[in-house]
Amino acid sequence: MRLSLNELKEKWLTLAAALWLRWRASALGQRLADLPWWRRWPTRREWLWLVASLPVLFFVYVLLLIPFTPSISDIRKAKLEQPAQIMSADGKLIGEFKRSNRQWVPLDQIAPTVVKALVATEDHRFYEHHGMDFTRTLGSAIHTLNGDPQGGSTITQQLARNLYPTEIGRARNINRKLKEAITAFKIEALYTKDEILETYLNTVPFLYNAYGIEMAARTYFDKPAAKLSVLESATLVGMLKGNAYYNPVINPDRAIARRNTVLAQMVKRGELKPEEFERLKKRPMRLDFERQEEPTGMAPHFAQQLRKWLIAWADKHDYNIYTDGLVVRTTLDSRLQTWAQQAVERQMRTLQGIASSNWSRRDGWSADSALVRQLVRESEDFRKLTRSGRADALSEDEALKKLLADKAFMKALREDKTRVQAGFLAMDPRTSAVLAWVGSRDYTQDAFDHVAQARRQPGSTFKPFVYGAALQQGARPEDTRKDEEVEIKLSGGEVWRPTDAVDPTGVPMTLTDALAYSKNTITAELGQEVGMDRVIKLARALGVRQSPLESVPSLALGSSPVTLLEMVNAYGSIANSGRYTPPQLVTRIENADGEVLAEFTPPKPDPVWSEEHNYGLLTMMRAVIDKGTGRAIRKQYGIRADVAGKTGTTQGNADGWFILMHPQIVAGAWAGFNDARITLKSDQWGQGSRSALPMVGDFMSRTLRSPLLNAKAGFAEPNTSHWWSDFVGRLRDRLQQWSGPANEDQGRDQAPARNAPDHGPAAAPGRNDGGDADITESTPALPPAQPGTPAAPDRSAPPPDVDSSPGLAPGDASPAPARTPTPSNWSDIGTPLPPAGPLNPPEDKP
């Protein structure tokens, strides 16, 4: 006889019950029954107590979880969030710190079809529940257990996730769902249904840096949200299930299918007529796509530097820079910032034309060039073609050959690598307040900051520190050195012979002229006499406080990379009578009601060295402008103010520098390429006096003509009317008279009398006609020590957080890692490479 399924089940249950009773009656069963409940199998009553306690335990867990969800006040801020406003010193809005790129629009300015499509597709019982749809939640759980995963979140729960991704998280677990549900209940208790819909539609992401329905409408259809049609509304609502998967730009077929699903849901919920659906579902996808760029403001690099500091300050004082409506008053002047940007743009157009012309020639960009081949090998396209694990991976030779033959790729690579870049910074030397900051020629094209991030060799702009250290050791601006060939012995027996752009004249030259005409030979030898440790100590004290400085001979010619921010800050110390102040970006922070939360005043300046030595160096740097490599400031830009400065050019014209000092403003510029192996291929235009100086000259000529500065201000002379300085001066003059000119031919070994001849512009080295022609700067700034070569430790380096001043994040001045390896085949019109061995620090003389 064949048993039915129910009869078979009853027999099995009867047999199991009998076996259970028999086992409980056994000796082993009796002993286990006498044990405490936590050491034995629970009884039926105990099972019932356990089942009954589960809801209580769950309820307690939920209560404990409530404090870890966003508070009601935080939810209010989400709708009313006010981004921090960044104001210039002259009261202009220069930027806002928004959490995302969105434009909030009220619900009545959103097309009704958007709301209808959203509710019909995502949560058709939206107006009936209070944060959770228990019917839908239970249904989604059943479907998920049956192997058909479905989402059960309501619009309110999705809003909770969008508003608080960090607090709630995205993990697929019960803890996240509970936090999401608790937050949803809070939102429902606080908002009306229309407010929830408005908040949801203004916060949901839509790819391409578009947040909220308004930015989505402008991105995909180039129209405001109020004018979206039924098809366009359905398309955007359809993206909510999976932005990337249903992206109408790259997946139009999927987007159309999903759009039609949304339209079908609208028909099902009575929001669309069936005949209308039949007509609309056949329509093709029509996009008017345009990526929405987030406004960068007039000083984006300045704002990014400020953002890092402000976040740290806000966290410390319990503020949120995205929601609390902070008003940050900065030192930046919008007028000076505009003039700086215009100066950079004009010069970049000129230099880019030269670079594009030189690199488009056959001898510039060619498949036969070793540099071009190396650039191809370093490209992302090359890495993709040779990536291991791919079925179609090519060998390196095959990939190189393929890319070299790809004209479109080679053109794009050339344009990217030969794009000229610049950095510009202006500061008030009296307070180190930043007045203008241009980190690159176009922030949207290159966000890398060439003011605070990029470390580049400063070239001859570093030489003033060498001459300043010499002044500290007793030298004077009118002391002379013979312009002749120099040999410097290094440890290990190597010999370095620095050279200049022109052959030595054999004529004695004052230190002032040596700096004005940027003589490498005299500067390198002077650095040896002074000692690199003293040069580093002075550079550190004046403002070069973040970048490492290697104590090697080539440091005298600017071989150790530094930032433009450090160099301008150091020159500002010289302009401020030798007193250092860290850079200042912020003066005051207010709340949304105008109440002052914090005020920042510059710290008391730190005297670096004597005012006499500082003024002596300043006088020498005036000569750079009056008759030296920077005289285009006077000749071309007509600046007659009391100014001083220095040009700088590195090997192969890879970097062009110029920094100009005025008693009320210091401005510096750098020009070059992101890849130091790329140059302008022009000794004329590659010089700092032709690449960087025009930016500063253009800016300063406009600034000095404006009422913002006193063009007649002069550098303050030090008070030297005390008996000790007079006594030392007279004693030095007497000693020099005793020594006489007998050893004049030895030049460097003895300092001559005060009244040494001043070789004026007619004797300027590098000038072809002795007239108005530009002076050729001695450009080679030697590369840093090669890998594996030990360098003397930088004993004068300060702690890494030395410049945690208002507006500068601690340690943030350190740049990003180098983008390209240092080239080994350096070349220039002057000095060959020295063996970069360390120097022994000089012993202090009593």
Side-chain angles (χ1 to χ4, degrees):
M1 185 178 73
R2 193 169 182 179
L3 297 176
S4 65
L5 183 60
N6 288 334
E7 291 174 338
L8 184 61
K9 184 185 293 185
E10 289 178 2
K11 284 186 173 291
W12 275 110
L13 290 175
T14 303
L15 179 60
L19 291 174
W20 169 256
L21 292 174
R22 187 173 179 180
W23 179 81
R24 289 292 302 272
S26 66
L28 179 59
Q30 292 293 327
R31 286 197 296 271
L32 289 176
D34 294 336
L35 291 174
W37 63 270
W38 61 84
R39 297 181 59 187
R40 57 178 168 78
W41 188 257
T43 64
R44 181 180 297 180
R45 177 176 294 180
E46 290 168 348
W47 273 115
L48 292 174
W49 274 107
L50 178 61
V51 173
S53 65
L54 287 178
V56 177
L57 294 174
F58 179 77
F59 180 73
V60 172
Y61 179 74
V62 171
L63 292 178
L64 294 174
L65 201 60
I66 290 177
F68 297 96
T69 58
S71 67
I72 293 178
S73 61
D74 290 335
I75 295 173
R76 287 186 184 276
K77 288 180 182 178
K79 184 175 184 299
L80 304 174
E81 66 178 30
Q82 301 177 12
Q85 293 185 328
I86 311 304
M87 308 298 294
S88 68
D90 54 324
K92 300 293 181 62
L93 178 66
I94 61 177
E96 290 184 322
F97 291 155
K98 295 182 179 180
R99 194 190 303 272
S100 57
N101 183 27
R102 71 173 177 228
Q103 181 178 337
W104 194 286
V105 290
L107 192 63
D108 59 7
Q109 294 183 19
I110 300 174
T113 53
V114 175
V115 177
K116 293 177 181 179
L118 176 66
V119 174
T121 306
E122 295 293 322
D123 187 4
H124 67 276
R125 281 186 286 268
F126 172 71
Y127 292 102
E128 302 170 11
H129 63 69
H130 299 285
M132 280 192 66
D133 186 344
F134 293 99
T135 302
R136 186 178 179 184
T137 302
L138 182 60
S140 66
I142 294 174
H143 282 290
T144 302
L145 291 175
N146 290 333
D148 181 23
Q150 292 187 6
S153 297
T154 63
I155 290 176
T156 314
Q157 288 175 281
Q158 294 178 45
L159 174 61
R161 281 202 308 269
N162 293 338
L163 289 180
Y164 308 104
T166 303
E167 294 89 338
I168 294 176
R170 298 284 183 180
R172 293 180 175 272
N173 54 42
I174 187 65
N175 189 65
R176 191 267 292 177
K177 294 298 292 184
L178 287 175
K179 292 169 73 174
E180 179 184 290
I182 293 170
T183 307
F185 285 131
K186 289 182 178 182
I187 293 174
E188 289 277 351
L190 180 66
Y191 288 170
T192 65
K193 291 292 185 179
D194 284 350
E195 288 176 321
I196 292 172
L197 286 173
E198 179 182 309
T199 307
Y200 177 86
L201 288 171
N202 278 286
T203 56
V204 68
F206 283 97
L207 297 179
Y208 302 109
N209 198 33
Y211 289 81
I213 191 67
E214 179 71 13
M215 298 307 294
R218 296 187 181 277
T219 299
Y220 296 99
F221 302 106
D222 193 24
K223 61 174 60 175
K227 295 184 178 181
L228 289 171
S229 66
V230 175
L231 282 177
E232 293 164 348
S233 300
T235 300
L236 295 179
V237 170
M239 290 180 65
L240 299 178
K241 186 176 182 180
N243 284 341
Y245 191 80
Y246 296 109
N247 184 345
V249 178
I250 60 176
N251 298 315
D253 293 337
R254 294 177 188 168
I256 290 175
R258 178 61 184 167
R259 179 201 69 185
N260 292 341
T261 299
V262 174
L263 293 175
Q265 287 296 110
M266 294 178 69
V267 173
K268 184 177 180 181
R269 306 304 172 191
E271 301 292 352
L272 187 67
K273 295 180 180 180
E275 58 270 18
E276 188 72 7
F277 168 68
E278 294 298 328
R279 182 178 65 85
L280 293 175
K281 72 177 184 179
K282 300 175 183 178
R283 296 280 184 88
M285 180 71 67
R286 289 193 176 96
L287 298 178
D288 191 354
F289 178 77
E290 183 179 359
R291 187 189 296 266
Q292 302 298 302
E293 299 294 342
E294 185 174 0
T296 57
M298 69 165 56
H301 290 95
F302 174 88
Q304 290 306 312
Q305 180 72 30
L306 179 60
R307 184 197 293 263
K308 300 170 187 177
W309 174 85
L310 187 60
I311 288 175
W313 181 90
D315 289 345
K316 183 178 179 181
H317 296 85
D318 198 25
Y319 290 103
N320 189 316
I321 70 170
Y322 304 112
T323 62
D324 290 342
L326 299 177
V327 178
V328 183
R329 306 285 178 179
T330 70
T331 60
L332 197 83
D333 189 289
S334 66
R335 296 158 293 185
L336 298 180
Q337 178 70 17
T338 299
W339 295 340
Q341 289 175 328
Q342 292 173 349
V344 170
E345 289 170 5
R346 277 192 284 267
Q347 180 64 359
M348 288 299 100
R349 285 196 296 268
T350 300
L351 295 181
Q352 189 62 63
I354 296 166
S356 298
S357 175
N358 291 340
W359 280 98
S360 62
R361 295 199 303 260
R362 181 68 181 175
D363 60 345
W365 190 271
S366 169
D368 298 329
S369 168
L371 174 58
V372 172
R373 287 174 169 265
Q374 182 60 30
L375 294 175
V376 172
R377 290 179 180 274
E378 294 170 2
S379 67
E380 181 62 27
D381 295 66
F382 182 84
R383 285 191 288 269
K384 288 180 179 178
L385 290 176
T386 58
R387 186 170 296 162
S388 60
R390 289 183 45 171
D392 58 344
L394 303 178
S395 67
E396 291 191 359
D397 291 340
E398 291 173 337
L400 180 62
K401 184 177 180 181
K402 180 178 180 178
L403 292 176
L404 288 173
D406 188 338
K407 292 184 179 180
F409 165 79
M410 293 295 287
K411 180 181 178 181
L413 182 65
R414 186 191 70 202
E415 291 177 351
D416 177 63
K417 290 296 183 179
T418 61
R419 185 177 296 115
V420 185
Q421 281 299 342
F424 184 97
L425 181 68
M427 301 175 69
D428 186 336
R430 298 164 296 183
T431 61
S432 289
V434 172
L435 303 175
W437 183 314
V438 183
S440 68
R441 60 188 296 186
D442 187 347
Y443 181 83
T444 59
Q445 194 175 51
D446 188 353
F448 187 63
D449 189 355
H450 297 86
V451 171
Q453 282 184 289
R455 278 179 176 159
R456 302 299 290 246
Q457 291 180 326
S460 296
T461 55
F462 195 84
K463 289 178 180 177
F465 305 134
V466 177
Y467 289 84
L471 295 180
Q472 284 183 304
Q473 296 302 306
R476 294 185 301 177
E478 59 270 25
D479 290 349
T480 62
R481 296 289 188 276
K482 183 179 287 188
D483 181 17
E484 62 182 1
E485 294 183 356
V486 171
E487 292 186 353
I488 297 176
K489 293 183 179 181
L490 307 176
S491 59
E494 299 90 348
V495 176
W496 173 37
R497 298 178 179 85
T499 60
D500 289 302
V502 294
D503 294 333
T505 62
V507 177
M509 177 179 288
T510 65
L511 295 183
T512 296
D513 283 352
L515 180 60
Y517 305 133
S518 203
K519 297 292 291 183
N520 286 334
T521 51
I522 295 176
T523 305
E525 187 178 37
L526 189 64
Q528 295 299 291
E529 295 178 12
V530 173
M532 286 298 102
D533 278 7
R534 294 193 181 98
V535 174
I536 290 175
K537 184 177 181 180
L538 179 60
R540 288 274 183 230
L542 289 172
V544 185
R545 301 194 171 196
Q546 297 293 333
S547 299
L549 299 175
E550 294 183 278
S551 185
V552 294
S554 59
L555 177 64
L557 307 186
S559 63
S560 288
V562 296
T563 66
L564 180 61
L565 176 62
E566 292 174 298
M567 292 298 293
V568 174
N569 195 192
Y571 275 54
S573 300
I574 297 173
N576 192 31
S577 301
R579 295 175 296 179
Y580 168 79
T581 305
Q584 307 293 307
L585 274 65
V586 180
T587 59
R588 190 169 71 252
I589 299 178
E590 303 168 356
N591 62 16
D593 298 325
E595 298 174 351
V596 177
L597 303 178
E599 286 191 286
F600 304 93
T601 56
K604 184 179 179 181
D606 178 21
V608 172
W609 57 344
S610 72
E611 292 188 19
E612 291 84 355
H613 294 149
N614 186 84
Y615 193 77
L617 178 59
L618 192 63
T619 302
M620 298 171 70
M621 297 176 74
R622 280 172 170 151
V624 176
I625 307 302
D626 293 338
K627 60 182 178 180
T629 56
R631 70 193 188 110
I633 287 295
R634 304 236 188 259
K635 182 184 71 172
Q636 183 175 347
Y637 294 96
I639 296 175
R640 296 290 176 257
D642 187 4
V643 292
K646 187 69 186 76
T647 58
T649 313
T650 61
Q651 284 194 97
N653 303 312
D655 305 277
W657 294 72
F658 181 68
I659 306 175
L660 187 67
M661 298 178 291
H662 178 270
Q664 297 178 356
I665 192 170
V666 175
W670 166 89
F673 299 84
N674 284 335
D675 192 324
R677 295 168 295 182
I678 305 294
T679 69
L680 285 172
K681 286 185 169 292
S682 169
D683 287 340
Q684 180 185 13
W685 285 97
Q687 297 280 316
S689 59
R690 298 296 300 276
S691 61
L693 184 147
M695 290 183 276
V696 177
D698 188 348
F699 171 82
M700 289 292 288
S701 63
R702 298 182 67 174
T703 302
L704 291 171
R705 290 197 304 267
S706 74
L708 301 179
L709 297 179
N710 179 10
K712 298 181 179 180
F715 292 105
E717 296 188 15
N719 181 12
T720 58
S721 60
H722 48 80
W723 68 272
W724 175 253
S725 61
D726 293 340
F727 172 75
V728 172
R730 288 194 298 270
L731 179 61
R732 181 183 178 87
D733 289 341
R734 182 60 57 88
L735 291 174
Q736 289 177 343
Q737 291 174 6
W738 289 344
S739 62
N743 295 326
E744 188 179 78
D745 291 341
Q746 298 179 8
R748 302 176 307 276
D749 296 330
Q750 289 194 14
R754 274 182 189 270
N755 300 322
D758 181 11
H759 301 281
R767 182 173 305 162
N768 297 324
D769 58 4
D772 290 337
D774 288 336
I775 298 171
T776 303
E777 182 180 11
S778 299
T779 60
L782 303 174
Q786 299 297 319
T789 303
D794 183 3
R795 288 181 283 273
S796 61
D801 61 347
V802 67
D803 277 344
S804 56
S805 53
L808 288 179
D812 186 62
S814 298
R819 297 183 174 190
T820 53
T822 302
S824 57
N825 55 339
W826 292 80
S827 63
D828 196 37
I829 56 177
T831 303
L833 284 179
L839 292 175
N840 295 321
E843 296 181 0
D844 291 323
K845 298 179 181 180

